[in-house]
Amino acid sequence: MTEKKNLPWWKNAVVYQIYPKSFQDSNGDGIGDIQGIISRLVYLADLGIDAVWLSPVYCSPQDDNGYDISDYQDIDPMFGTLSDMEELIAEAKKRNIRIIMDLVLNHTSDEHRWFLEAKKSRENPYHDYYVWKDGVEGELPNDMKASFGGPAWEWVPELQQYYFHQFSVKQPDLNWENPKVRREIYDMILWWMDKGVGGFRLDVIDQIAKEPDRKITNNGPRLHEFLQEMSRETFQKGDLITVGEAWGANTENAKLYSNPDGSEFSMVFQFEHVMLDQQPGKEKWDLAPLPFVKLKQCMAKWQEELYGKGWNSLFMDNHDLPRIVSRWGDDKEYREESAKMLATVFHGMQGTPYVYQGEELGMTNIKFEDITHYRDIETLNLYRERLEKGYSPEDVMRSIYAKSRDNARTPMQWSAEENAGFTDGTPWIEVNPNYTEINAEAERRDPDSVFSYYRTLIRLRKEYPVFIDGKFELLMEEDEQIFAYTRTSDEGKMLVCANFSGEPAKCPLITEWKDAQKLIHNYHGDVADGLRPYEAVMLWKAGKN
Ligand code: TEU
Ligand code: CA
């Protein structure tokens, strides 16, 4: 089948995402930090993951929790120092864990040295590092909007110019048309490679080649030219995992991003499946039930189209998304069953799985009483904007409960101790009160926990090459409850069968597979053709089938 001998390491890897601010505080200031992460490496090694994607820890005014970088080559004091970072890389390496840095290259902070220079004068050598437009105060260059609300243009009176920002006002867009900008970025990447990092996650990378004059944000005409240049100048000089975040990806351009010839990235991180439970053409806040049959079609399309031609990331959660067990599972009666079911379905597919901190515990969404408890800039701006537009607070809170990014940002639940063992101080965002039941300490002791289940899934991936190269086939396409598929390789055939609902469901496939070996199952006892609520199983038949 695929070239097993020169299989890149990341095809076999499982990545764990850490949101440093919420992972582990080590000094009682209520904010997670690098020493905190170091103290938890044993936990990560026990889970069995191969790499950690660290959300940004660089110097930042924290307008968007570190996605607004003011110095790419230093660590924010809130998280530690550069030598803490070096220690983390070295300590992780001892446990065969590689560190993946988050590269935010579409924009910097408005407090970055380049931007401070750029806005001094039109003649300043850094002026052209950003995207400017001459104009008149109060007359916006066009009607483009920023991701976190308001227009995408901000007036600078000293220059009589607007600058362009796709995200917050404090995140001015970099001008990739300028070769000097690209060179600075490549040198910075090489500097991190020298420090021994294992790879990079590239934030909103499909938006770098913007052309605001033509209202183009993602997939600009020069995008792949820039990416190929960057890859040649940097990534290809090492043995890295690189993953491009692309909300605007489709299966066609994904084959460019993740071309097996290595000309761009190792893999693409795309969101088609997580955009299904919203009203078509509207925002994520405009809620709609998950169209289950469409979800299956969507996943199958990506599996089939990229087979042998690209590589996908497998994820359900990250720091921008609500908790999957609350979203597509049942975070009450069947929390453990549904969390395990979702993991079974996703981990069985082709691609590199990403586990977002706390997902392996089945952590749930948060429901703070009112908006004053929320911290995320996107959530706070949305609340203000929608109230101004006449929505009722109840309406907006319903959307926030379902989709706010803060759902994923409450502190990691380590134990039943105060503040879930996250901090001795006051956490920067409140802990989910369910930490007394849902926490790592309890789950590591329990062989039936969500944690133990994830550990088994991760181990299975290393034992059965079918996870890597098996060809995907969707079964029971139209069924409204069952998610079923097979993966077939030279070694044998694997069946994944899952009841995606809280009601019993018929799955006649199980009878056909009754002699197969059970790899993992989220209920005790035998599996029969009637699947219980959220029941999921992975079966294996060796040899030609
Ligand atoms: O996210 C990309 C992005 O487009 C998000 O803002 C997304 O639209 C939003 O989260 C959906 O709710 C990346 C980072 O992952 C995110 O945390 C940053 O805020 C953003 O880029 C800007 O750097
Ligand atoms: Ca701290």
Side-chain angles (χ1 to χ4, degrees):
M1 193 109 248
T2 42
E3 3 65 293
K4 291 237 171 58
K5 264 184 249 102
N6 22 15
L7 187 77
W9 67 269
W10 44 260
K11 283 203 174 175
N12 201 7
V14 176
V15 180
Y16 188 89
Q17 185 193 350
I18 289 184
Y19 198 65
K21 207 170 173 182
S22 305
F23 192 63
Q24 177 69 68
D25 179 22
S26 73
N27 61 353
D29 65 357
I31 299 170
D33 45 53
I34 295 174
Q35 284 301 331
I37 299 172
I38 294 173
S39 74
R40 294 298 185 181
L41 284 171
V42 177
Y43 171 84
L44 298 175
D46 180 27
L47 183 57
I49 54 96
D50 306 274
V52 164
W53 152 23
L54 262 196
S55 276
V57 287
Y58 316 92
C59 290
S60 162
Q62 303 292 327
D63 182 53
D64 182 21
N65 282 354
Y67 284 90
D68 48 320
I69 297 171
S70 55
D71 187 348
Y72 291 99
Q73 284 164 275
D74 205 355
I75 301 298
D76 198 286
M78 165 176 123
F79 293 125
T81 62
L82 202 51
S83 79
D84 290 327
M85 191 64 216
E86 285 160 352
E87 187 183 332
L88 172 61
I89 295 168
E91 288 300 311
K93 198 168 185 186
K94 288 184 194 159
R95 295 168 177 86
N96 289 320
I97 296 173
R98 310 190 202 210
I99 301 292
I100 301 173
M101 298 296 280
D102 204 325
L103 281 179
V104 188
L105 306 178
N106 176 67
H107 44 268
T108 67
S109 162
D110 64 342
E111 298 179 36
H112 192 288
R113 181 175 57 85
W114 300 338
F115 193 74
L116 297 176
E117 287 294 321
K119 67 173 192 189
K120 282 186 183 159
S121 79
R122 294 183 184 208
E123 288 71 43
N124 190 287
Y126 290 94
H127 184 259
D128 206 24
Y129 274 41
Y130 295 86
V131 182
W132 300 95
K133 198 86 199 142
D134 293 348
V136 186
E137 185 171 12
E139 271 176 47
L140 297 170
N142 62 30
D143 62 358
M144 292 173 83
K145 296 269 174 280
S147 239
F148 302 145
W153 299 101
E154 182 71 9
W155 181 245
V156 179
E158 304 90 289
L159 298 180
Q160 296 286 300
Q161 282 185 315
Y162 287 93
Y163 67 84
F164 181 65
H165 61 94
Q166 298 188 60
F167 294 90
S168 98
V169 216
K170 286 184 66 60
Q171 293 167 302
D173 267 59
L174 281 167
N175 175 17
W176 274 72
E177 299 283 331
N178 182 347
K180 278 198 261 167
V181 169
R182 306 206 297 274
R183 193 64 251 167
E184 296 248 25
I185 287 174
Y186 304 157
D187 289 343
M188 176 272 288
I189 294 175
L190 291 168
W191 183 84
W192 277 108
M193 285 171 63
D194 246 19
K195 297 230 169 281
V197 302
F200 299 99
R201 176 262 186 186
L202 294 108
D203 191 62
V204 290
I205 201 65
D206 57 338
Q207 293 173 227
I208 59 169
K210 54 241 148 190
E211 292 190 8
D213 285 344
R214 300 200 286 151
K215 296 197 192 176
I216 293 175
T217 52
N218 58 27
N219 298 318
R222 297 189 67 187
L223 176 63
H224 294 280
E225 174 199 332
F226 293 153
L227 298 184
Q228 285 160 21
E229 181 187 85
M230 170 163 60
S231 174
R232 216 169 35 238
E233 294 291 330
T234 62
F235 311 143
Q236 289 173 33
K237 301 180 197 286
D239 178 24
L240 302 176
I241 180 176
T242 52
V243 47
E245 187 206 24
W247 284 79
N250 54 40
T251 51
E252 279 316 301
N253 58 34
K255 292 176 206 162
L256 295 173
Y257 290 122
S258 62
N259 194 327
D261 71 5
S263 54
E264 295 191 10
F265 304 131
S266 318
M267 67 192 80
V268 61
F269 199 95
Q270 56 77 28
F271 295 84
E272 191 173 329
H273 59 296
V274 297
M275 292 194 281
L276 291 171
D277 56 358
Q278 68 194 50
Q279 295 165 36
K282 297 228 184 138
E283 295 182 294
K284 71 172 190 180
W285 311 104
D286 302 302
L287 311 176
L290 175 70
F292 176 59
V293 173
K294 279 215 178 101
L295 172 71
K296 292 195 285 185
Q297 285 165 354
C298 168
M299 299 306 295
K301 175 182 75 184
W302 280 89
Q303 289 292 300
E304 286 156 12
E305 299 269 322
L306 262 52
Y307 187 72
K309 301 195 179 114
W311 198 256
N312 211 344
S313 306
L314 303 167
F315 71 95
M316 310 179 276
D317 273 303
N318 77 7
H319 65 294
D320 294 331
L321 303 173
R323 294 281 181 182
I324 200 65
V325 68
S326 302
R327 187 181 192 177
W328 293 349
D330 172 350
D331 63 9
K332 298 188 177 66
E333 194 180 349
Y334 295 110
R335 185 185 65 85
E336 295 189 46
E337 290 84 351
S338 62
K340 294 172 188 172
M341 181 280 288
L342 289 159
T344 316
V345 170
F346 272 75
H347 282 239
M349 293 189 203
Q350 186 173 52
T352 297
Y354 286 71
V355 179
Y356 177 69
Q357 64 181 48
E359 176 192 329
E360 77 282 16
L361 305 175
M363 274 179 63
T364 67
N365 278 354
I366 185 73
K367 238 182 180 177
F368 290 130
E369 209 171 289
D370 60 61
I371 194 69
T372 60
H373 301 265
Y374 286 83
R375 298 288 172 263
D376 172 32
I377 180 172
E378 184 190 50
T379 305
L380 299 176
N381 287 351
L382 178 272
Y383 186 78
R384 192 170 26 78
E385 275 195 358
R386 288 219 160 172
L387 286 198
E388 278 164 21
K389 285 187 189 146
Y391 288 75
S392 71
E394 295 72 39
D395 235 27
V396 187
M397 286 315 288
R398 202 172 316 119
S399 299
I400 289 175
Y401 290 150
K403 295 280 177 77
S404 168
R405 305 197 295 183
D406 280 339
N407 282 308
R409 299 178 181 186
T410 61
M412 177 72 176
Q413 294 168 202
W414 292 108
S415 72
E417 281 162 41
E418 208 180 345
N419 291 321
F422 164 69
T423 181
D424 297 335
T426 310
W428 70 277
I429 186 169
E430 284 159 67
V431 173
N432 191 318
N434 64 20
Y435 72 88
T436 49
E437 287 149 56
I438 306 171
N439 64 68
E441 197 179 70
E443 295 203 22
R444 281 174 83 186
R445 268 188 270 122
D446 174 4
D448 275 339
S449 66
V450 180
F451 177 89
S452 298
Y453 195 89
Y454 266 82
R455 187 165 46 187
T456 306
L457 270 178
I458 293 168
R459 180 173 48 72
L460 285 170
R461 169 167 290 268
K462 317 278 179 197
E463 286 170 15
Y464 291 83
V466 69
F467 280 87
I468 296 164
D469 60 17
K471 191 155 174 49
F472 178 95
E473 188 187 354
L474 184 68
L475 306 171
M476 300 175 71
E477 291 96 330
E478 300 299 323
D479 195 280
E480 294 285 351
Q481 289 170 286
I482 302 286
F483 202 135
Y485 60 86
T486 50
R487 300 281 310 278
T488 311
S489 75
D490 288 348
E491 285 92 9
K493 191 171 191 157
M494 175 168 84
L495 172 73
V496 173
C497 210
N499 179 358
F500 228 88
S501 80
E503 304 296 325
K506 279 260 164 278
C507 186
L509 286 169
I510 303 284
T511 317
E512 294 166 34
W513 281 69
K514 67 177 185 322
D515 300 323
Q517 180 195 343
K518 211 198 277 182
L519 297 182
I520 196 166
H521 184 200
N522 68 347
Y523 271 80
H524 285 291
D526 287 338
V527 52
D529 63 3
L531 290 184
R532 289 161 277 187
Y534 298 106
E535 186 166 359
V537 68
M538 238 177 216
L539 300 171
W540 170 248
K541 283 187 203 169
K544 279 258 168 282
N545 291 282

